[in-house]
mmCIF file of all heavy atoms in Angstrom:
data_model
loop_
_atom_site.group_PDB
_atom_site.id
_atom_site.type_symbol
_atom_site.label_atom_id
_atom_site.label_comp_id
_atom_site.label_asym_id
_atom_site.label_seq_id
_atom_site.Cartn_x
_atom_site.Cartn_y
_atom_site.Cartn_z
ATOM 1 N N ALA A 1102 -2.892 -12.590 -35.885
ATOM 2 C CA ALA A 1102 -2.974 -14.025 -36.182
ATOM 3 C C ALA A 1102 -2.566 -14.860 -34.976
ATOM 4 O O ALA A 1102 -3.149 -15.920 -34.716
ATOM 5 C CB ALA A 1102 -2.087 -14.353 -37.383
ATOM 6 N N ALA A 1103 -1.581 -14.385 -34.217
ATOM 7 C CA ALA A 1103 -1.094 -15.147 -33.062
ATOM 8 C C ALA A 1103 -2.130 -15.231 -31.947
ATOM 9 O O ALA A 1103 -2.111 -16.174 -31.153
ATOM 10 C CB ALA A 1103 0.198 -14.520 -32.532
ATOM 11 N N ARG A 1104 -3.043 -14.251 -31.890
ATOM 12 C CA ARG A 1104 -4.036 -14.235 -30.811
ATOM 13 C C ARG A 1104 -5.262 -15.098 -31.109
ATOM 14 O O ARG A 1104 -6.069 -15.362 -30.224
ATOM 15 C CB ARG A 1104 -4.479 -12.795 -30.539
ATOM 16 C CG ARG A 1104 -3.418 -11.943 -29.843
ATOM 17 C CD ARG A 1104 -4.018 -10.666 -29.296
ATOM 18 N NE ARG A 1104 -4.536 -9.811 -30.333
ATOM 19 C CZ ARG A 1104 -3.825 -8.886 -30.986
ATOM 20 N NH1 ARG A 1104 -2.539 -8.731 -30.700
ATOM 21 N NH2 ARG A 1104 -4.371 -8.136 -31.919
ATOM 22 N N ILE A 1105 -5.399 -15.534 -32.368
ATOM 23 C CA ILE A 1105 -6.560 -16.358 -32.725
ATOM 24 C C ILE A 1105 -6.405 -17.739 -32.098
ATOM 25 O O ILE A 1105 -5.328 -18.329 -32.113
ATOM 26 C CB ILE A 1105 -6.686 -16.469 -34.256
ATOM 27 C CG1 ILE A 1105 -6.948 -15.084 -34.849
ATOM 28 C CG2 ILE A 1105 -7.799 -17.430 -34.644
ATOM 29 C CD1 ILE A 1105 -6.962 -15.060 -36.358
ATOM 30 N N ASP A 1106 -7.495 -18.253 -31.545
ATOM 31 C CA ASP A 1106 -7.454 -19.538 -30.847
ATOM 32 C C ASP A 1106 -6.891 -20.648 -31.723
ATOM 33 O O ASP A 1106 -6.043 -21.437 -31.312
ATOM 34 C CB ASP A 1106 -8.863 -19.936 -30.375
ATOM 35 C CG ASP A 1106 -9.292 -19.110 -29.171
ATOM 36 O OD1 ASP A 1106 -8.448 -18.365 -28.651
ATOM 37 O OD2 ASP A 1106 -10.460 -19.211 -28.769
ATOM 38 N N HIS A 1107 -7.365 -20.748 -32.958
ATOM 39 C CA HIS A 1107 -6.866 -21.773 -33.874
ATOM 40 C C HIS A 1107 -7.205 -21.368 -35.303
ATOM 41 O O HIS A 1107 -8.188 -20.663 -35.547
ATOM 42 C CB HIS A 1107 -7.481 -23.143 -33.549
ATOM 43 C CG HIS A 1107 -8.978 -23.165 -33.670
ATOM 44 N ND1 HIS A 1107 -9.633 -23.332 -34.881
ATOM 45 C CD2 HIS A 1107 -9.955 -23.002 -32.745
ATOM 46 C CE1 HIS A 1107 -10.940 -23.292 -34.691
ATOM 47 N NE2 HIS A 1107 -11.161 -23.089 -33.395
ATOM 48 N N LEU A 1108 -6.379 -21.819 -36.242
ATOM 49 C CA LEU A 1108 -6.650 -21.554 -37.644
ATOM 50 C C LEU A 1108 -7.797 -22.446 -38.117
ATOM 51 O O LEU A 1108 -8.066 -23.491 -37.521
ATOM 52 C CB LEU A 1108 -5.395 -21.811 -38.484
ATOM 53 C CG LEU A 1108 -4.247 -20.821 -38.286
ATOM 54 C CD1 LEU A 1108 -3.024 -21.267 -39.064
ATOM 55 C CD2 LEU A 1108 -4.657 -19.412 -38.707
ATOM 56 N N PRO A 1109 -8.499 -22.067 -39.187
ATOM 57 C CA PRO A 1109 -9.602 -22.893 -39.684
ATOM 58 C C PRO A 1109 -9.159 -24.321 -39.999
ATOM 59 O O PRO A 1109 -8.042 -24.550 -40.460
ATOM 60 C CB PRO A 1109 -10.025 -22.157 -40.969
ATOM 61 C CG PRO A 1109 -9.642 -20.737 -40.723
ATOM 62 C CD PRO A 1109 -8.367 -20.800 -39.945
ATOM 63 N N GLU A 1110 -10.055 -25.248 -39.740
ATOM 64 C CA GLU A 1110 -9.766 -26.662 -39.957
ATOM 65 C C GLU A 1110 -10.600 -27.256 -41.087
ATOM 66 O O GLU A 1110 -10.537 -28.459 -41.354
ATOM 67 C CB GLU A 1110 -10.026 -27.443 -38.661
ATOM 68 C CG GLU A 1110 -9.149 -26.969 -37.502
ATOM 69 C CD GLU A 1110 -9.599 -27.541 -36.173
ATOM 70 O OE1 GLU A 1110 -10.757 -28.028 -36.085
ATOM 71 O OE2 GLU A 1110 -8.802 -27.517 -35.219
ATOM 72 N N GLY A 1111 -11.407 -26.420 -41.737
ATOM 73 C CA GLY A 1111 -12.224 -26.919 -42.831
ATOM 74 C C GLY A 1111 -13.628 -27.272 -42.405
ATOM 75 O O GLY A 1111 -14.221 -28.218 -42.922
ATOM 76 N N LYS A 1112 -14.177 -26.513 -41.466
ATOM 77 C CA LYS A 1112 -15.549 -26.743 -41.008
ATOM 78 C C LYS A 1112 -16.405 -25.543 -41.411
ATOM 79 O O LYS A 1112 -15.928 -24.570 -41.967
ATOM 80 C CB LYS A 1112 -15.567 -26.959 -39.492
ATOM 81 C CG LYS A 1112 -14.717 -28.153 -39.042
ATOM 82 C CD LYS A 1112 -14.694 -28.273 -37.526
ATOM 83 C CE LYS A 1112 -13.801 -29.436 -37.085
ATOM 84 N NZ LYS A 1112 -13.705 -29.546 -35.607
ATOM 85 N N GLY A 1113 -17.700 -25.612 -41.104
ATOM 86 C CA GLY A 1113 -18.580 -24.496 -41.408
ATOM 87 C C GLY A 1113 -18.621 -24.205 -42.893
ATOM 88 O O GLY A 1113 -18.721 -25.096 -43.734
ATOM 89 N N LEU A 1114 -18.556 -22.916 -43.238
ATOM 90 C CA LEU A 1114 -18.617 -22.494 -44.638
ATOM 91 C C LEU A 1114 -17.454 -23.063 -45.440
ATOM 92 O O LEU A 1114 -17.631 -23.520 -46.577
ATOM 93 C CB LEU A 1114 -18.626 -20.961 -44.716
ATOM 94 C CG LEU A 1114 -18.638 -20.345 -46.110
ATOM 95 C CD1 LEU A 1114 -19.874 -20.795 -46.886
ATOM 96 C CD2 LEU A 1114 -18.602 -18.818 -46.003
ATOM 97 N N LEU A 1115 -16.263 -23.038 -44.863
ATOM 98 C CA LEU A 1115 -15.101 -23.578 -45.576
ATOM 99 C C LEU A 1115 -15.273 -25.072 -45.838
ATOM 100 O O LEU A 1115 -14.907 -25.575 -46.897
ATOM 101 C CB LEU A 1115 -13.819 -23.326 -44.774
ATOM 102 C CG LEU A 1115 -13.489 -21.870 -44.426
ATOM 103 C CD1 LEU A 1115 -12.061 -21.761 -43.915
ATOM 104 C CD2 LEU A 1115 -13.701 -20.945 -45.608
ATOM 105 N N GLY A 1116 -15.817 -25.769 -44.869
ATOM 106 C CA GLY A 1116 -16.058 -27.196 -45.038
ATOM 107 C C GLY A 1116 -17.103 -27.467 -46.102
ATOM 108 O O GLY A 1116 -17.007 -28.449 -46.854
ATOM 109 N N ALA A 1117 -18.121 -26.604 -46.183
ATOM 110 C CA ALA A 1117 -19.166 -26.770 -47.193
ATOM 111 C C ALA A 1117 -18.587 -26.651 -48.602
ATOM 112 O O ALA A 1117 -18.985 -27.390 -49.510
ATOM 113 C CB ALA A 1117 -20.265 -25.731 -46.978
ATOM 114 N N ILE A 1118 -17.642 -25.732 -48.776
ATOM 115 C CA ILE A 1118 -17.013 -25.569 -50.090
ATOM 116 C C ILE A 1118 -16.129 -26.768 -50.406
ATOM 117 O O ILE A 1118 -16.008 -27.183 -51.567
ATOM 118 C CB ILE A 1118 -16.204 -24.256 -50.139
ATOM 119 C CG1 ILE A 1118 -17.141 -23.067 -49.934
ATOM 120 C CG2 ILE A 1118 -15.465 -24.118 -51.465
ATOM 121 C CD1 ILE A 1118 -16.436 -21.746 -49.812
ATOM 122 N N ILE A 1119 -15.502 -27.334 -49.393
ATOM 123 C CA ILE A 1119 -14.692 -28.540 -49.606
ATOM 124 C C ILE A 1119 -15.591 -29.696 -50.049
ATOM 125 O O ILE A 1119 -15.269 -30.434 -50.992
ATOM 126 C CB ILE A 1119 -13.934 -28.919 -48.317
ATOM 127 C CG1 ILE A 1119 -12.873 -27.862 -48.000
ATOM 128 C CG2 ILE A 1119 -13.280 -30.298 -48.452
ATOM 129 C CD1 ILE A 1119 -12.221 -28.025 -46.639
ATOM 130 N N ASP A 1120 -16.735 -29.847 -49.378
ATOM 131 C CA ASP A 1120 -17.644 -30.950 -49.693
ATOM 132 C C ASP A 1120 -18.347 -30.757 -51.040
ATOM 133 O O ASP A 1120 -18.673 -31.733 -51.717
ATOM 134 C CB ASP A 1120 -18.691 -31.093 -48.584
ATOM 135 C CG ASP A 1120 -18.066 -31.515 -47.254
ATOM 136 O OD1 ASP A 1120 -16.987 -32.144 -47.285
ATOM 137 O OD2 ASP A 1120 -18.637 -31.188 -46.192
ATOM 138 N N ASP A 1121 -18.589 -29.518 -51.404
ATOM 139 C CA ASP A 1121 -19.251 -29.204 -52.672
ATOM 140 C C ASP A 1121 -18.423 -28.137 -53.377
ATOM 141 O O ASP A 1121 -18.695 -26.935 -53.261
ATOM 142 C CB ASP A 1121 -20.672 -28.692 -52.415
ATOM 143 C CG ASP A 1121 -21.444 -28.446 -53.707
ATOM 144 O OD1 ASP A 1121 -20.983 -28.897 -54.774
ATOM 145 O OD2 ASP A 1121 -22.509 -27.802 -53.636
ATOM 146 N N PRO A 1122 -17.348 -28.556 -54.082
ATOM 147 C CA PRO A 1122 -16.360 -27.600 -54.612
ATOM 148 C C PRO A 1122 -16.869 -26.775 -55.796
ATOM 149 O O PRO A 1122 -16.574 -27.047 -56.956
ATOM 150 C CB PRO A 1122 -15.191 -28.502 -55.009
ATOM 151 C CG PRO A 1122 -15.806 -29.827 -55.299
ATOM 152 C CD PRO A 1122 -16.976 -29.951 -54.372
ATOM 153 N N ARG A 1123 -17.656 -25.752 -55.459
ATOM 154 C CA ARG A 1123 -18.122 -24.793 -56.447
ATOM 155 C C ARG A 1123 -17.878 -23.386 -55.910
ATOM 156 O O ARG A 1123 -17.835 -23.180 -54.696
ATOM 157 C CB ARG A 1123 -19.612 -24.981 -56.732
ATOM 158 C CG ARG A 1123 -19.939 -26.279 -57.480
ATOM 159 C CD ARG A 1123 -21.419 -26.381 -57.775
ATOM 160 N NE ARG A 1123 -22.213 -26.524 -56.560
ATOM 161 C CZ ARG A 1123 -23.542 -26.552 -56.551
ATOM 162 N NH1 ARG A 1123 -24.217 -26.412 -57.668
ATOM 163 N NH2 ARG A 1123 -24.188 -26.704 -55.406
ATOM 164 N N PRO A 1124 -17.717 -22.404 -56.805
ATOM 165 C CA PRO A 1124 -17.494 -21.033 -56.334
ATOM 166 C C PRO A 1124 -18.638 -20.534 -55.461
ATOM 167 O O PRO A 1124 -19.807 -20.833 -55.706
ATOM 168 C CB PRO A 1124 -17.406 -20.216 -57.637
ATOM 169 C CG PRO A 1124 -17.011 -21.206 -58.682
ATOM 170 C CD PRO A 1124 -17.659 -22.497 -58.277
ATOM 171 N N VAL A 1125 -18.279 -19.791 -54.421
ATOM 172 C CA VAL A 1125 -19.265 -19.181 -53.528
ATOM 173 C C VAL A 1125 -18.922 -17.705 -53.384
ATOM 174 O O VAL A 1125 -17.766 -17.357 -53.123
ATOM 175 C CB VAL A 1125 -19.264 -19.859 -52.144
ATOM 176 C CG1 VAL A 1125 -20.162 -19.092 -51.178
ATOM 177 C CG2 VAL A 1125 -19.721 -21.311 -52.256
ATOM 178 N N ARG A 1126 -19.935 -16.849 -53.558
ATOM 179 C CA ARG A 1126 -19.740 -15.405 -53.380
ATOM 180 C C ARG A 1126 -20.840 -14.899 -52.461
ATOM 181 O O ARG A 1126 -22.023 -15.120 -52.714
ATOM 182 C CB ARG A 1126 -19.772 -14.678 -54.725
ATOM 183 C CG ARG A 1126 -19.695 -13.163 -54.627
ATOM 184 C CD ARG A 1126 -19.397 -12.554 -55.996
ATOM 185 N NE ARG A 1126 -20.346 -12.947 -57.003
ATOM 186 C CZ ARG A 1126 -21.452 -12.269 -57.331
ATOM 187 N NH1 ARG A 1126 -21.733 -11.133 -56.690
ATOM 188 N NH2 ARG A 1126 -22.260 -12.699 -58.277
ATOM 189 N N LEU A 1127 -20.432 -14.210 -51.387
ATOM 190 C CA LEU A 1127 -21.382 -13.724 -50.399
ATOM 191 C C LEU A 1127 -21.145 -12.239 -50.108
ATOM 192 O O LEU A 1127 -19.991 -11.818 -50.002
ATOM 193 C CB LEU A 1127 -21.248 -14.502 -49.091
ATOM 194 C CG LEU A 1127 -21.445 -16.030 -49.140
ATOM 195 C CD1 LEU A 1127 -21.037 -16.647 -47.810
ATOM 196 C CD2 LEU A 1127 -22.887 -16.364 -49.479
ATOM 197 N N ALA A 1128 -22.224 -11.497 -49.973
ATOM 198 C CA ALA A 1128 -22.105 -10.097 -49.543
ATOM 199 C C ALA A 1128 -21.860 -10.020 -48.042
ATOM 200 O O ALA A 1128 -21.202 -9.095 -47.557
ATOM 201 C CB ALA A 1128 -23.364 -9.326 -49.915
ATOM 202 N N GLU A 1129 -22.361 -11.009 -47.309
ATOM 203 C CA GLU A 1129 -22.220 -11.033 -45.848
ATOM 204 C C GLU A 1129 -22.061 -12.481 -45.394
ATOM 205 O O GLU A 1129 -22.977 -13.292 -45.536
ATOM 206 C CB GLU A 1129 -23.444 -10.405 -45.196
ATOM 207 C CG GLU A 1129 -23.427 -10.428 -43.678
ATOM 208 C CD GLU A 1129 -22.281 -9.613 -43.094
ATOM 209 O OE1 GLU A 1129 -22.158 -8.422 -43.437
ATOM 210 O OE2 GLU A 1129 -21.506 -10.191 -42.318
ATOM 211 N N ILE A 1130 -20.897 -12.803 -44.856
ATOM 212 C CA ILE A 1130 -20.611 -14.178 -44.444
ATOM 213 C C ILE A 1130 -21.620 -14.677 -43.424
ATOM 214 O O ILE A 1130 -22.130 -15.796 -43.517
ATOM 215 C CB ILE A 1130 -19.178 -14.277 -43.856
ATOM 216 C CG1 ILE A 1130 -18.134 -13.968 -44.928
ATOM 217 C CG2 ILE A 1130 -18.935 -15.659 -43.261
ATOM 218 C CD1 ILE A 1130 -16.718 -13.874 -44.402
ATOM 219 N N SER A 1131 -21.958 -13.834 -42.454
ATOM 220 C CA SER A 1131 -22.820 -14.271 -41.357
ATOM 221 C C SER A 1131 -24.239 -14.582 -41.808
ATOM 222 O O SER A 1131 -24.995 -15.257 -41.096
ATOM 223 C CB SER A 1131 -22.853 -13.210 -40.253
ATOM 224 O OG SER A 1131 -23.380 -11.995 -40.752
ATOM 225 N N SER A 1132 -24.615 -14.108 -43.010
ATOM 226 C CA SER A 1132 -25.971 -14.351 -43.497
ATOM 227 C C SER A 1132 -26.133 -15.748 -44.082
ATOM 228 O O SER A 1132 -27.263 -16.181 -44.331
ATOM 229 C CB SER A 1132 -26.345 -13.313 -44.565
ATOM 230 O OG SER A 1132 -25.555 -13.497 -45.733
ATOM 231 N N ASP A 1133 -25.037 -16.448 -44.310
ATOM 232 C CA ASP A 1133 -25.102 -17.786 -44.902
ATOM 233 C C ASP A 1133 -25.299 -18.831 -43.804
ATOM 234 O O ASP A 1133 -24.581 -18.830 -42.797
ATOM 235 C CB ASP A 1133 -23.816 -18.074 -45.687
ATOM 236 C CG ASP A 1133 -23.952 -19.304 -46.570
ATOM 237 O OD1 ASP A 1133 -23.802 -20.425 -46.032
ATOM 238 O OD2 ASP A 1133 -24.189 -19.153 -47.771
ATOM 239 N N ALA A 1134 -26.238 -19.722 -44.030
ATOM 240 C CA ALA A 1134 -26.565 -20.733 -43.009
ATOM 241 C C ALA A 1134 -25.399 -21.667 -42.721
ATOM 242 O O ALA A 1134 -25.329 -22.272 -41.652
ATOM 243 C CB ALA A 1134 -27.779 -21.543 -43.457
ATOM 244 N N ARG A 1135 -24.480 -21.783 -43.674
ATOM 245 C CA ARG A 1135 -23.343 -22.688 -43.492
ATOM 246 C C ARG A 1135 -22.249 -22.090 -42.622
ATOM 247 O O ARG A 1135 -21.333 -22.792 -42.193
ATOM 248 C CB ARG A 1135 -22.766 -23.078 -44.859
ATOM 249 C CG ARG A 1135 -23.734 -23.859 -45.731
ATOM 250 C CD ARG A 1135 -23.243 -23.936 -47.167
ATOM 251 N NE ARG A 1135 -23.211 -22.620 -47.804
ATOM 252 C CZ ARG A 1135 -22.884 -22.419 -49.073
ATOM 253 N NH1 ARG A 1135 -22.555 -23.449 -49.847
ATOM 254 N NH2 ARG A 1135 -22.865 -21.191 -49.595
ATOM 255 N N SER A 1136 -22.313 -20.795 -42.376
ATOM 256 C CA SER A 1136 -21.279 -20.133 -41.587
ATOM 257 C C SER A 1136 -21.408 -20.515 -40.110
ATOM 258 O O SER A 1136 -22.495 -20.492 -39.543
ATOM 259 C CB SER A 1136 -21.396 -18.616 -41.736
ATOM 260 O OG SER A 1136 -20.462 -17.962 -40.903
ATOM 261 N N SER A 1137 -20.265 -20.870 -39.516
ATOM 262 C CA SER A 1137 -20.263 -21.241 -38.096
ATOM 263 C C SER A 1137 -19.598 -20.179 -37.233
ATOM 264 O O SER A 1137 -19.255 -20.422 -36.081
ATOM 265 C CB SER A 1137 -19.552 -22.583 -37.904
ATOM 266 O OG SER A 1137 -18.223 -22.521 -38.419
ATOM 267 N N GLY A 1138 -19.405 -18.983 -37.803
ATOM 268 C CA GLY A 1138 -18.788 -17.907 -37.041
ATOM 269 C C GLY A 1138 -17.274 -18.003 -37.030
ATOM 270 O O GLY A 1138 -16.675 -18.869 -37.672
ATOM 271 N N PHE A 1139 -16.651 -17.107 -36.292
ATOM 272 C CA PHE A 1139 -15.199 -17.036 -36.230
ATOM 273 C C PHE A 1139 -14.715 -17.401 -34.830
ATOM 274 O O PHE A 1139 -15.411 -17.170 -33.839
ATOM 275 C CB PHE A 1139 -14.720 -15.625 -36.578
ATOM 276 C CG PHE A 1139 -15.045 -15.207 -37.978
ATOM 277 C CD1 PHE A 1139 -16.060 -14.283 -38.221
ATOM 278 C CD2 PHE A 1139 -14.352 -15.734 -39.053
ATOM 279 C CE1 PHE A 1139 -16.372 -13.887 -39.506
ATOM 280 C CE2 PHE A 1139 -14.661 -15.341 -40.357
ATOM 281 C CZ PHE A 1139 -15.668 -14.424 -40.585
ATOM 282 N N PRO A 1140 -13.492 -17.947 -34.748
ATOM 283 C CA PRO A 1140 -12.931 -18.238 -33.416
ATOM 284 C C PRO A 1140 -12.625 -16.940 -32.669
ATOM 285 O O PRO A 1140 -12.623 -15.851 -33.258
ATOM 286 C CB PRO A 1140 -11.652 -19.021 -33.735
ATOM 287 C CG PRO A 1140 -11.292 -18.635 -35.132
ATOM 288 C CD PRO A 1140 -12.598 -18.389 -35.834
ATOM 289 N N ALA A 1141 -12.361 -17.078 -31.376
ATOM 290 C CA ALA A 1141 -12.048 -15.909 -30.538
ATOM 291 C C ALA A 1141 -10.855 -15.149 -31.098
ATOM 292 O O ALA A 1141 -9.907 -15.745 -31.622
ATOM 293 C CB ALA A 1141 -11.755 -16.369 -29.113
ATOM 294 N N ASN A 1142 -10.928 -13.824 -31.036
ATOM 295 C CA ASN A 1142 -9.860 -12.902 -31.446
ATOM 296 C C ASN A 1142 -9.673 -12.817 -32.962
ATOM 297 O O ASN A 1142 -8.713 -12.211 -33.431
ATOM 298 C CB ASN A 1142 -8.515 -13.281 -30.797
ATOM 299 C CG ASN A 1142 -8.583 -13.269 -29.292
ATOM 300 O OD1 ASN A 1142 -9.104 -12.335 -28.691
ATOM 301 N ND2 ASN A 1142 -8.070 -14.319 -28.665
ATOM 302 N N HIS A 1143 -10.585 -13.427 -33.723
ATOM 303 C CA HIS A 1143 -10.504 -13.349 -35.186
ATOM 304 C C HIS A 1143 -11.044 -11.993 -35.633
ATOM 305 O O HIS A 1143 -12.075 -11.524 -35.125
ATOM 306 C CB HIS A 1143 -11.340 -14.473 -35.793
ATOM 307 C CG HIS A 1143 -11.048 -14.732 -37.240
ATOM 308 N ND1 HIS A 1143 -11.413 -13.874 -38.246
ATOM 309 C CD2 HIS A 1143 -10.409 -15.776 -37.848
ATOM 310 C CE1 HIS A 1143 -11.030 -14.364 -39.411
ATOM 311 N NE2 HIS A 1143 -10.420 -15.517 -39.194
ATOM 312 N N PRO A 1144 -10.372 -11.308 -36.579
ATOM 313 C CA PRO A 1144 -10.893 -10.017 -37.039
ATOM 314 C C PRO A 1144 -12.237 -10.197 -37.750
ATOM 315 O O PRO A 1144 -12.468 -11.228 -38.381
ATOM 316 C CB PRO A 1144 -9.811 -9.524 -38.012
ATOM 317 C CG PRO A 1144 -9.080 -10.747 -38.437
ATOM 318 C CD PRO A 1144 -9.115 -11.673 -37.264
ATOM 319 N N PRO A 1145 -13.137 -9.222 -37.649
ATOM 320 C CA PRO A 1145 -14.430 -9.328 -38.339
ATOM 321 C C PRO A 1145 -14.240 -9.327 -39.849
ATOM 322 O O PRO A 1145 -13.363 -8.640 -40.379
ATOM 323 C CB PRO A 1145 -15.184 -8.087 -37.868
ATOM 324 C CG PRO A 1145 -14.116 -7.122 -37.450
ATOM 325 C CD PRO A 1145 -13.000 -7.955 -36.912
ATOM 326 N N MET A 1146 -15.050 -10.128 -40.545
ATOM 327 C CA MET A 1146 -14.996 -10.206 -42.002
ATOM 328 C C MET A 1146 -16.422 -10.221 -42.524
ATOM 329 O O MET A 1146 -17.308 -10.829 -41.913
ATOM 330 C CB MET A 1146 -14.248 -11.463 -42.457
ATOM 331 C CG MET A 1146 -12.781 -11.471 -42.077
ATOM 332 S SD MET A 1146 -11.920 -12.984 -42.625
ATOM 333 C CE MET A 1146 -10.249 -12.621 -42.039
ATOM 334 N N THR A 1147 -16.628 -9.569 -43.672
ATOM 335 C CA THR A 1147 -17.992 -9.469 -44.210
ATOM 336 C C THR A 1147 -18.113 -10.212 -45.541
ATOM 337 O O THR A 1147 -18.549 -11.355 -45.579
ATOM 338 C CB THR A 1147 -18.393 -8.006 -44.361
ATOM 339 O OG1 THR A 1147 -17.392 -7.306 -45.132
ATOM 340 C CG2 THR A 1147 -18.521 -7.331 -42.999
#
């Protein structure tokens, strides 16, 4: 956690859920158009 450039600020996929507060379930995060990727040194997540 200390090596990650910055914690999420509510943009990308997280921001989309904030703007439209409904449950979201994804098999692969990167496949969603709203995903903006992860900051440097962030562990991979699916």
Side-chain angles (χ1 to χ4, degrees):
R1104 288 194 296 272
I1105 296 175
D1106 285 352
H1107 61 82
L1108 291 174
E1110 299 168 343
K1112 301 176 182 177
L1114 178 60
L1115 302 193
I1118 298 174
I1119 292 171
D1120 294 335
D1121 184 13
R1123 291 182 293 176
V1125 173
R1126 175 166 56 93
L1127 302 170
E1129 178 63 54
I1130 295 173
S1131 61
S1132 67
D1133 193 279
R1135 296 167 295 183
S1136 176
S1137 57
F1139 296 106
N1142 301 314
H1143 196 289
M1146 295 180 179
T1147 53

